[in-house]
Amino acid sequence: MTLSLSAAKLVLLAVHFAVQADIDSLAVLAARHDTVLRKDLVLRILLTYLPETLQSNKYVGFLEKIEKGTLSENTNHDVDASSVETLAEGDATKRVRKLRLLPLTFKDTPKEVGDDPITSFLVRRSYKVDEEAGLLAELPTLLLPFMNQSAYVRTLLISTILPLLRRNCEYHPEDPIQYTLSAFQELPDRVAVNLLLSRTGAREEDLPVVGRDLRGLIGPWLVDEKKWKTRRRSIVSPNGEEDDGICAGYDEVLRWLTTQASKNWRVAVNAIQQWGGPGDADLAGWGKLELTEQQQDRVQRAYAQAALASAYVLPEASSEAIEGAYSIAAQVANLRGLDPLPLFPSAVALLPPLAEQISEDIISTKTATFMRNDLLASSNILTSPDNSAVAFLEALILSAHLLTHAGQACTIRRAGELALLQDERDQKEQASKLIHHLNHNGPKTDDKFWLGARNEILWLRDWGAEEVSLEATPKGVFSKLKKEFLEVEILKALLFNTRRLFLLGSVLLFTNCRKATPWRGRYTVYATAMTAYDNASNPNRTRGGLKKCDEIIKAFPSTLPKSHPLAQKVEALLQATHALSEYRLVLKQGEPFTPIVLRVHSDPISIIGKILEQNPKSYTRLQDFVDLGNRMVQAGLVKQSPSSHPSSLQHPPEQVSQRITAMCIDAALTEEDFETAYSFVVTRLDSPATGQQKDDYSWRVALQAGKYRRTARTTKPTHFGTGSANEEIRHLEQRIECLSVALRIAPGATLQEILNVYRRAEEELEVKVRQEEEREEEWDWRGDSVSGTNMPGGFNSTKKAKQARVGGSSRGRDSKEEEAPMSLFDLARATGLTAPRNLSALSGLQRAAGGALGGLGRGVVGGLAGGGDKNGSERGSMDSARSGGGEVVSPTGGSHDGEGGQQRARKRDQLKNAAMGTLVSGVGWLVGAPGPAAAGGGNGRE
């Protein structure tokens, strides 16, 4: 029935069949009227009106027949032309003109498409199906039958549709790429690569299929020849010739790989382990990547270089990351046919000698810049995939593993910087940290561990160079450190852990340390002992760090004998520290005392003052504190000063005991124990056996004791001895004696202050004595009044006469008190004039010189009115002698007449001179004159 239809109606009928997706009727109509429904017209009708949702298998056979020209009329199929039969010809023509059929060609049609209508149709149909229906999965069915007939269709199918289809529909359908097929084709290479791999390794469970993504997405994507025609960088081939470079798309893949290594190293490690490069591609059997042998070598070399670069940028210093880097190095060696690497556990256990495999060109400070810049550049010697670069990377990986495993986290880049920059200070710091960590965290009794640790540290220095040649230059991460230094540091660690019986004897002391100078071994033992001391928290030498310090210092008597100054110094320090453990001691609020505080304290003697403050009655242990101070001096804690300035914290050793004594006296006074303070003053500060030295502590504390006044809290004396039973009088006498000590040991500039206190104390004593005498007389008078009888023999009158004399003497004293007081010089002169008239009281003079007057005069040095000198004292003695007998009394007790100088030795003169010598000596001290010992013999004291 369609044979009578006009051309316009045939076109409209074909359009009708296309809209209805009636492919069979359209095929019959096209076969019957092929002169009207030409090949290009049918394809345009299909392109314009065939529904995009129609499954490809419903019409791909029809397209194959059109391509091959094998359309044939099916006589068994009736064509329904009712939709156009009733149309007038004019209306049919008008409708045909309004069809607006899409052209097969399109803007920017690739040259590869050419004039082939079927290729053009397939390309445009693919775009429409994807854009209008989103049925990307229908495209392989549509294009596969024509893949071998059109290179462009094959490229479109493999390099664009296949990776996009896998990415959105198979691999990661939960997060599809939001680009149409045509838009994805136009993306820059960097964007396209990052989109295809945006979900690769994003989840932990996806890490095992990272290689699948590279193989199934990047492998097909690189098939597009246009990507290989765009060059971005050049590389140097193994034979030294510069080639044309690699494609920009592949370069972006390599950059993605190194970027992932710096951000998510697990993705990069799994990618390199699972993917063998561009040649390892999954093209679904639709084709293959056709590269020349030179191109294949080039891309494999670039891939190996990117793999090595990825190892350098791994950011994590963990055992897992370092082992992953080692697998990268092993994979590179395998891909490039280099010397194979042993398994990682074997390499760590054996620590192979790698120094000889590393070229001298690599070990350079200039090379260090390549670890951070231009990792993918062809000139980068570190990432060039050859045996030397791989051996260097292997050495860095093993070094980083040893450091990290020992507790010192180290990345591969950090290990490379240590080896290439060759900064001795940096290497020494790293080595010290390593040994310190082993020292504190390693097993204490495992000899095997310490032997292994020593071997590892020495390997880190030279990477096994000494195994090949003893004269080889070290190339390791500790290459700038002397082997002797490392051995000594290891020795310190072993000493700290007291691992000496086997390791120190057989490995270190008798092998390496013996070769060193003797002082180094001694100093090493000493320094290690001090380290143990500084780390101690308990001042008891039988526990913790102090016990370890003691064990270390005594472990090697042949190296550090007890008689050596260092050993004695440590022993004194331990004794001093242990002595402090007996007391409560807090130097800072909330911080208990630790031994290192004693060693670093600027004024360790002041710690004794803290003990006296915090431990009541501890001042009674004066001798213990003096011994403690002496040990501090022996330990070198008290600084020696060339000048003994009183205000300096640096003391001569002899002043330490005086300062400690002063501290104890001050503590006793603070706790109201005057009796103990008085005892310390007269026995410690005034004892000739102490060899009293001038200091700024003793006289001050003696003056402080002399100023002390009894209170209700003052400790009561337990016995009075020969002193007064009156506590007040006894107390004043003790104060005066303390002030006498202060006068003897104080500097001249301070005497006036002490004398003022002394004078007031004497006045108080006189008042107390007078009151005591009056109370006694009153008591006696009351006793006589009560008896009411006169004593036989006239004793009663005698007592009254005595009372009269006492009253008279009291009045005499009262009248004298109203007069101006005599100066000390006048007192001395008057005493000298009176002495010859009282020779019968010689023994009394001797007692007077050592009693009240002697108490005032002892120890006064210098002049009183401006600091009189010894010559003045001597003149005073001479004047006294002349006024008494007209003779000059010599300091030795002899006499000379004024004219002949003949010595006289009469008994009377000897007695007289003895009395005068005793008195003048006592009074002479008061005015600063030398005593008999200084003038010519005797027991006088300055």
Side-chain angles (χ1 to χ4, degrees), residues 291-364:
L291 297 175
T292 64
E293 184 176 350
Q294 183 182 7
Q295 286 178 322
Q296 183 67 27
D297 180 73
R298 187 166 64 242
V299 297
Q300 284 295 99
R301 181 181 177 82
Y303 176 59
Q305 184 176 13
L308 294 178
S310 300
Y312 280 104
V313 298
L314 294 185
E316 188 173 315
S318 64
S319 298
E320 187 180 359
I322 293 171
E323 187 173 356
Y326 189 86
S327 68
I328 291 176
Q331 178 74 347
V332 169
N334 182 44
L335 290 174
R336 299 300 296 167
L338 306 176
D339 296 337
L341 271 64
L343 296 176
F344 183 69
S346 300
V348 171
L350 297 176
L351 295 178
L354 300 172
E356 63 175 350
Q357 303 178 36
I358 302 171
S359 67
E360 296 294 335
D361 296 336
I362 288 182
I363 306 298
S364 170

XYZ file of all heavy atoms in Angstrom, residues 291-364:
551
model
N 52.053 1.042 22.315
C 53.215 1.898 22.498
C 54.430 1.223 21.876
O 54.560 -0.012 21.892
C 53.490 2.141 23.992
C 52.418 2.871 24.797
C 52.814 2.912 26.267
C 52.206 4.276 24.258
N 55.327 2.055 21.388
C 56.578 1.521 20.874
C 57.432 1.055 22.042
O 57.181 1.372 23.205
C 57.330 2.586 20.068
O 57.699 3.655 20.942
C 56.457 3.133 18.950
N 58.472 0.308 21.744
C 59.360 -0.184 22.792
C 60.012 0.975 23.543
O 60.164 0.922 24.770
C 60.416 -1.088 22.178
C 61.340 -1.728 23.210
C 62.320 -2.687 22.569
O 62.162 -2.998 21.379
O 63.251 -3.118 23.277
N 60.366 2.007 22.818
C 60.967 3.174 23.463
C 59.971 3.891 24.370
O 60.307 4.286 25.485
C 61.491 4.138 22.399
C 62.206 5.345 22.973
C 62.671 6.300 21.902
O 62.343 6.124 20.724
N 63.431 7.314 22.288
N 58.734 4.012 23.887
C 57.707 4.641 24.719
C 57.405 3.807 25.958
O 57.217 4.348 27.044
C 56.432 4.839 23.898
C 56.496 5.946 22.882
C 55.219 6.046 22.079
O 54.595 5.024 21.736
N 54.813 7.261 21.767
N 57.372 2.494 25.754
C 57.098 1.623 26.886
C 58.172 1.759 27.964
O 57.883 1.859 29.165
C 57.014 0.166 26.413
C 56.663 -0.831 27.496
C 55.243 -0.658 28.019
O 54.363 -0.178 27.286
N 55.030 -1.027 29.266
N 59.432 1.799 27.556
C 60.522 1.964 28.516
C 60.447 3.331 29.195
O 60.720 3.457 30.385
C 61.863 1.802 27.803
C 63.030 1.963 28.755
O 63.263 1.048 29.573
O 63.699 3.021 28.699
N 60.050 4.314 28.401
C 59.981 5.673 28.938
C 58.914 5.793 30.022
O 59.142 6.360 31.094
C 59.718 6.653 27.801
C 59.805 8.105 28.232
C 59.881 9.018 27.026
N 58.694 8.953 26.217
C 58.663 8.541 24.946
N 59.772 8.127 24.359
N 57.542 8.522 24.255
N 57.741 5.261 29.754
C 56.671 5.379 30.731
C 56.943 4.519 31.960
O 56.592 4.896 33.090
C 55.305 5.017 30.108
C 54.949 5.978 28.988
C 55.288 3.579 29.610
N 57.604 3.372 31.778
C 57.939 2.541 32.927
C 59.004 3.215 33.795
O 58.940 3.165 35.023
C 58.438 1.174 32.455
C 57.337 0.237 31.978
C 56.402 -0.132 33.105
O 55.324 0.440 33.250
N 56.810 -1.102 33.920
N 59.947 3.860 33.144
C 60.978 4.577 33.896
C 60.364 5.747 34.674
O 60.699 5.987 35.836
C 62.049 5.074 32.930
C 63.187 5.820 33.615
C 64.207 6.295 32.587
N 65.258 7.065 33.219
C 66.319 6.560 33.832
N 66.469 5.245 33.869
N 67.237 7.340 34.377
N 59.444 6.456 34.013
C 58.777 7.570 34.693
C 57.937 7.068 35.865
O 57.871 7.718 36.926
C 57.900 8.327 33.702
N 57.298 5.941 35.671
C 56.492 5.368 36.757
C 57.386 4.961 37.930
O 57.059 5.211 39.096
C 55.712 4.165 36.237
C 54.909 3.443 37.295
C 53.924 4.108 38.021
C 55.141 2.094 37.582
C 53.176 3.449 38.990
C 54.408 1.433 38.552
C 53.429 2.114 39.258
O 52.714 1.459 40.226
N 58.521 4.343 37.644
C 59.456 3.954 38.705
C 59.997 5.192 39.426
O 60.159 5.187 40.656
C 60.602 3.134 38.114
N 60.252 6.251 38.686
C 60.731 7.474 39.310
C 59.668 8.069 40.228
O 59.967 8.522 41.332
C 61.133 8.486 38.231
C 61.749 9.757 38.788
C 62.213 10.700 37.700
O 61.874 10.526 36.530
N 62.997 11.701 38.068
N 58.420 8.054 39.782
C 57.342 8.556 40.630
C 57.179 7.690 41.879
O 56.864 8.202 42.970
C 56.034 8.594 39.848
N 57.402 6.384 41.725
C 57.310 5.496 42.891
C 58.397 5.841 43.913
O 58.135 5.927 45.119
C 57.424 4.046 42.449
N 59.636 6.062 43.448
C 60.702 6.447 44.361
C 60.408 7.797 45.008
O 60.660 7.999 46.209
C 62.041 6.506 43.613
C 62.584 5.172 43.090
C 63.880 5.401 42.329
C 62.808 4.180 44.219
N 59.875 8.721 44.219
C 59.509 10.025 44.772
C 58.441 9.880 45.850
O 58.461 10.590 46.873
C 59.027 10.942 43.657
N 57.508 8.970 45.652
C 56.450 8.750 46.639
C 57.026 8.270 47.963
O 56.541 8.626 49.045
C 55.434 7.740 46.110
O 54.831 8.198 44.924
N 58.081 7.449 47.900
C 58.701 6.964 49.132
C 59.322 8.109 49.932
O 59.283 8.120 51.165
C 59.762 5.908 48.807
N 59.878 9.090 49.255
C 60.532 10.204 49.949
C 59.536 11.139 50.628
O 59.889 11.830 51.592
C 61.398 11.003 48.976
C 62.741 10.373 48.699
C 62.980 9.707 47.494
C 63.758 10.426 49.642
C 64.210 9.127 47.238
C 64.995 9.850 49.397
C 65.218 9.192 48.193
O 66.436 8.615 47.944
N 58.318 11.189 50.108
C 57.359 12.161 50.652
C 56.381 11.541 51.631
O 55.448 12.213 52.075
C 56.580 12.857 49.515
C 57.519 13.620 48.619
C 55.752 11.857 48.709
N 56.573 10.278 51.988
C 55.685 9.683 52.991
C 55.779 10.490 54.282
O 56.865 10.642 54.853
C 56.066 8.226 53.261
C 55.885 7.235 52.115
C 56.187 5.826 52.586
C 54.477 7.290 51.550
N 54.669 11.026 54.769
C 54.754 11.944 55.906
C 54.787 11.275 57.266
O 55.117 11.903 58.265
C 53.469 12.772 55.763
C 52.486 11.817 55.151
C 53.286 10.905 54.250
N 54.448 10.020 57.327
C 54.262 9.357 58.610
C 55.496 8.558 58.991
O 56.073 7.842 58.158
C 53.040 8.447 58.550
C 52.650 7.852 59.893
C 51.337 7.094 59.818
O 50.397 7.635 59.198
O 51.262 5.987 60.353
N 55.906 8.693 60.248
C 57.069 7.958 60.747
C 56.598 6.775 61.582
O 56.836 6.701 62.789
C 57.960 8.877 61.575
N 55.935 5.849 60.935
C 55.463 4.643 61.615
C 56.103 3.427 60.961
O 56.556 3.473 59.810
C 53.942 4.540 61.529
O 53.517 4.399 60.194
N 56.137 2.360 61.698
C 56.720 1.134 61.159
C 55.975 0.663 59.922
O 56.584 0.174 58.952
C 56.713 0.039 62.235
O 57.494 0.423 63.349
N 54.658 0.824 59.923
C 53.860 0.396 58.775
C 54.185 1.232 57.540
O 54.321 0.699 56.431
C 52.384 0.517 59.118
C 51.451 -0.057 58.052
C 49.994 0.078 58.438
O 49.716 0.602 59.524
O 49.134 -0.340 57.631
N 54.307 2.552 57.716
C 54.626 3.416 56.586
C 56.023 3.122 56.053
O 56.255 3.116 54.832
C 54.512 4.878 56.998
N 56.976 2.906 56.962
C 58.348 2.628 56.527
C 58.418 1.298 55.799
O 59.112 1.175 54.774
C 59.276 2.653 57.757
C 59.342 4.083 58.309
C 60.655 2.160 57.395
C 60.058 4.193 59.631
N 57.681 0.322 56.278
C 57.656 -0.967 55.570
C 56.996 -0.818 54.207
O 57.391 -1.462 53.230
C 56.922 -2.004 56.421
C 56.981 -3.404 55.851
C 56.409 -4.438 56.793
O 56.031 -4.062 57.921
O 56.332 -5.621 56.400
N 55.980 0.064 54.128
C 55.376 0.334 52.829
C 56.355 0.984 51.868
O 56.375 0.669 50.664
N 57.186 1.885 52.374
C 58.209 2.499 51.527
C 59.200 1.458 51.033
O 59.683 1.525 49.890
C 58.924 3.602 52.305
N 59.524 0.504 51.900
C 60.445 -0.555 51.474
C 59.828 -1.392 50.350
O 60.519 -1.794 49.405
C 60.798 -1.434 52.661
C 61.908 -2.428 52.375
C 63.235 -2.058 52.508
C 61.620 -3.725 51.976
C 64.254 -2.960 52.248
C 62.631 -4.645 51.714
C 63.950 -4.251 51.854
O 64.959 -5.150 51.578
N 58.528 -1.647 50.448
C 57.869 -2.402 49.367
C 57.896 -1.614 48.059
O 57.964 -2.201 46.975
C 56.427 -2.728 49.766
O 55.635 -1.542 49.818
N 57.848 -0.281 48.140
C 57.959 0.539 46.934
C 59.329 0.359 46.302
O 59.456 0.172 45.077
C 57.716 2.019 47.276
C 56.252 2.243 47.658
C 58.104 2.913 46.111
C 55.939 3.650 48.092
N 60.386 0.432 47.141
C 61.734 0.247 46.610
C 61.894 -1.139 45.986
O 62.517 -1.286 44.912
C 62.761 0.457 47.728
N 61.340 -2.163 46.624
C 61.426 -3.517 46.065
C 60.665 -3.609 44.748
O 61.123 -4.266 43.793
C 60.876 -4.520 47.080
N 59.516 -2.954 44.660
C 58.732 -2.975 43.431
C 59.468 -2.256 42.287
O 59.449 -2.719 41.139
C 57.376 -2.309 43.682
C 56.471 -2.220 42.463
C 55.866 -3.559 42.074
O 56.290 -4.604 42.563
N 54.890 -3.530 41.179
N 60.116 -1.164 42.608
C 60.878 -0.447 41.582
C 62.014 -1.314 41.064
O 62.262 -1.377 39.850
C 61.410 0.878 42.157
C 62.420 1.517 41.211
C 60.267 1.840 42.431
N 62.728 -1.967 41.982
C 63.807 -2.849 41.554
C 63.280 -3.962 40.655
O 63.929 -4.347 39.662
C 64.512 -3.429 42.779
N 62.108 -4.460 40.974
C 61.513 -5.516 40.167
C 61.074 -5.000 38.798
O 61.313 -5.644 37.772
C 60.329 -6.118 40.920
C 59.683 -7.263 40.164
O 60.365 -8.122 39.614
N 58.357 -7.267 40.135
N 60.440 -3.834 38.755
C 59.972 -3.278 37.482
C 61.123 -2.927 36.540
O 61.004 -3.114 35.322
C 59.132 -2.024 37.749
C 57.761 -2.232 38.391
C 57.119 -0.895 38.714
C 56.852 -3.047 37.463
N 62.224 -2.450 37.099
C 63.338 -2.013 36.266
C 64.417 -3.065 36.095
O 65.444 -2.817 35.455
C 63.961 -0.755 36.877
C 63.021 0.419 36.980
C 62.515 0.835 35.614
N 63.591 1.321 34.764
C 63.490 1.510 33.461
N 62.343 1.228 32.844
N 64.503 1.964 32.746
N 64.190 -4.243 36.664
C 65.167 -5.312 36.499
C 66.471 -5.040 37.235
O 67.544 -5.455 36.785
N 66.398 -4.362 38.400
C 67.595 -4.050 39.178
C 67.885 -5.170 40.166
O 67.170 -6.183 40.219
C 67.387 -2.725 39.921
C 66.981 -1.526 39.064
C 66.721 -0.315 39.946
C 68.048 -1.214 38.020
N 68.937 -4.994 40.959
C 69.273 -5.989 41.968
C 68.107 -6.143 42.924
O 67.633 -5.158 43.502
C 70.514 -5.555 42.750
C 71.751 -5.470 41.872
O 71.758 -6.132 40.818
O 72.695 -4.733 42.224
N 67.644 -7.366 43.119
C 66.459 -7.550 43.977
C 66.778 -7.241 45.442
O 67.905 -7.430 45.909
C 66.106 -9.027 43.780
C 67.397 -9.675 43.374
C 68.146 -8.652 42.583
N 65.770 -6.778 46.129
C 65.901 -6.474 47.559
C 65.415 -7.657 48.379
O 64.432 -8.314 47.996
C 65.088 -5.234 47.926
C 65.778 -3.875 47.804
C 66.135 -3.597 46.347
C 64.873 -2.776 48.334
N 66.073 -7.954 49.486
C 65.572 -9.023 50.359
C 64.266 -8.613 51.008
O 63.873 -7.445 50.989
C 66.692 -9.191 51.389
C 67.357 -7.855 51.430
C 67.279 -7.311 50.035
N 63.594 -9.577 51.592
C 62.382 -9.257 52.319
C 62.705 -8.303 53.477
O 63.812 -8.321 54.026
C 61.729 -10.533 52.847
C 61.226 -11.517 51.784
C 60.684 -12.776 52.450
C 60.176 -10.880 50.899
N 61.732 -7.494 53.820
C 61.975 -6.457 54.814
C 62.449 -7.022 56.153
O 63.432 -6.515 56.722
C 60.709 -5.620 54.997
C 60.875 -4.473 55.944
C 61.676 -3.390 55.611
C 60.247 -4.472 57.184
C 61.843 -2.327 56.485
C 60.400 -3.413 58.060
C 61.202 -2.334 57.707
N 61.830 -8.056 56.718
C 62.339 -8.598 57.990
C 63.787 -9.071 57.892
O 64.573 -8.886 58.820
C 61.378 -9.746 58.303
C 60.127 -9.411 57.553
C 60.593 -8.738 56.299
N 64.130 -9.672 56.758
C 65.505 -10.135 56.584
C 66.472 -8.968 56.506
O 67.571 -9.000 57.074
C 65.604 -10.982 55.309
O 64.751 -12.108 55.381
N 66.085 -7.914 55.803
C 66.954 -6.744 55.689
C 67.182 -6.089 57.047
O 68.298 -5.662 57.378
C 66.347 -5.747 54.710
N 66.124 -6.009 57.860
C 66.268 -5.407 59.183
C 67.165 -6.254 60.069
O 67.984 -5.736 60.850
C 64.885 -5.218 59.832
C 65.021 -4.795 61.283
C 64.073 -4.198 59.056
N 67.047 -7.562 59.950
C 67.853 -8.452 60.789
C 69.315 -8.477 60.355
O 70.225 -8.490 61.197
C 67.275 -9.866 60.756
N 69.561 -8.451 59.049
C 70.923 -8.577 58.545
C 71.648 -7.243 58.451
O 72.869 -7.194 58.580
C 70.902 -9.246 57.163
C 70.359 -10.676 57.115
C 70.297 -11.174 55.676
C 71.234 -11.608 57.951
N 70.895 -6.152 58.205
C 71.499 -4.829 57.982
C 72.639 -4.935 56.981
O 73.826 -4.813 57.314
C 71.990 -4.231 59.293
C 70.916 -3.904 60.333
C 71.548 -3.362 61.609
C 69.918 -2.902 59.771
N 72.300 -5.154 55.702
C 73.337 -5.405 54.690
C 74.239 -4.193 54.487
O 73.833 -3.052 54.716
C 72.505 -5.685 53.426
C 71.219 -4.977 53.657
C 70.953 -5.075 55.125
N 75.480 -4.414 54.072
C 76.381 -3.292 53.758
C 75.953 -2.629 52.448
O 76.090 -3.204 51.366
C 77.748 -3.969 53.631
C 77.455 -5.391 53.304
C 76.145 -5.731 53.939
N 75.444 -1.428 52.556
C 74.912 -0.720 51.390
C 75.783 0.443 50.940
O 75.545 1.006 49.877
C 73.503 -0.194 51.708
C 72.455 -1.244 52.063
C 71.170 -0.574 52.541
C 72.163 -2.145 50.875
N 76.758 0.805 51.755
C 77.543 2.003 51.449
C 78.262 1.885 50.116
O 78.331 2.855 49.344
C 78.547 2.262 52.566
N 78.795 0.703 49.810
C 79.555 0.566 48.578
C 78.670 0.619 47.328
O 79.157 0.879 46.232
C 80.319 -0.752 48.597
C 79.418 -1.988 48.650
C 80.206 -3.282 48.541
O 81.418 -3.193 48.233
O 79.625 -4.354 48.753
N 77.354 0.392 47.483
C 76.452 0.448 46.329
C 75.991 1.868 46.013
O 75.405 2.108 44.963
C 75.235 -0.434 46.587
C 75.556 -1.885 46.898
C 74.306 -2.688 47.181
O 73.258 -2.475 46.588
N 74.417 -3.641 48.115
N 76.232 2.793 46.933
C 75.758 4.164 46.759
C 76.876 5.001 46.155
O 77.994 5.052 46.682
C 75.334 4.752 48.115
C 74.243 3.872 48.743
C 74.841 6.179 47.963
C 73.907 4.236 50.170
N 76.586 5.670 45.066
C 77.602 6.471 44.385
C 77.947 7.708 45.214
O 77.145 8.205 45.999
C 77.110 6.890 43.003
O 76.025 7.796 43.118
N 79.162 8.195 45.009
C 79.610 9.382 45.727
C 78.808 10.612 45.330
O 78.727 11.578 46.088
C 81.098 9.605 45.461
C 81.997 8.500 45.990
C 81.985 8.421 47.501
O 81.689 9.446 48.150
O 82.273 7.337 48.041
N 78.233 10.604 44.136
C 77.471 11.773 43.678
C 76.219 12.000 44.515
O 75.738 13.129 44.631
C 77.070 11.593 42.204
C 78.286 11.546 41.293
O 79.334 12.098 41.698
O 78.197 10.960 40.202
N 75.698 10.935 45.084
C 74.460 11.072 45.865
C 74.737 11.722 47.220
O 73.984 12.589 47.675
C 73.793 9.695 46.040
C 73.191 9.228 44.710
C 72.703 9.752 47.114
C 72.483 7.909 44.786
N 75.821 11.302 47.881
C 76.125 11.812 49.216
C 76.722 13.206 49.088
O 77.944 13.402 49.004
C 77.090 10.871 49.959
C 76.529 9.453 49.982
C 77.316 11.376 51.377
C 75.210 9.320 50.701
N 75.846 14.189 49.068
C 76.273 15.581 48.930
C 75.195 16.483 49.508
O 74.001 16.167 49.445
C 76.529 15.924 47.459
O 76.729 17.303 47.285
